[in-house]
Amino acid sequence: MQIEPGETKTMHWTAEKTGINPFYCSNFCSALHQEMQGYIEVRAKGSPQAAVVHPDAKTIAEIHAQLAAK
């Protein structure tokens, strides 16, 4: 999906398992392109919802290591 400046769009996605999934923009648009990334945490249905938290550098490194090992 491509989102233009000022637009919002909704994407429906069915997760296959719980865990943390990184996402990033693959369409270069500006010098801030590297900032266009984030994480989606998938939890089992009915589990408590956490407040929005930005992961620290150590957690991000651990996530990337786990993904690289797959």
Side-chain angles (χ1 to χ4, degrees):
M1 153 187 326
Q2 184 165 332
I3 304 171
E4 298 300 325
E7 274 188 326
T8 59
K9 290 187 179 180
T10 301
M11 184 172 108
H12 296 274
W13 168 64
T14 302
E16 295 178 7
K17 60 184 179 178
T18 60
I20 297 175
N21 300 278
F23 66 90
Y24 62 95
C25 176
S26 60
N27 184 24
F28 182 82
C29 61
S30 73
L32 295 175
H33 176 74
Q34 296 293 334
E35 303 298 320
M36 297 178 191
Q37 60 183 343
Y39 297 91
I40 298 171
E41 182 177 7
V42 177
R43 293 173 175 234
K45 189 173 184 174
S47 41
Q49 182 177 359
V52 175
V53 176
H54 297 283
D56 57 47
K58 180 181 175 189
T59 302
I60 291 171
E62 289 171 355
I63 292 167
H64 285 286
Q66 290 173 2
L67 291 171
K70 289 182 178 182

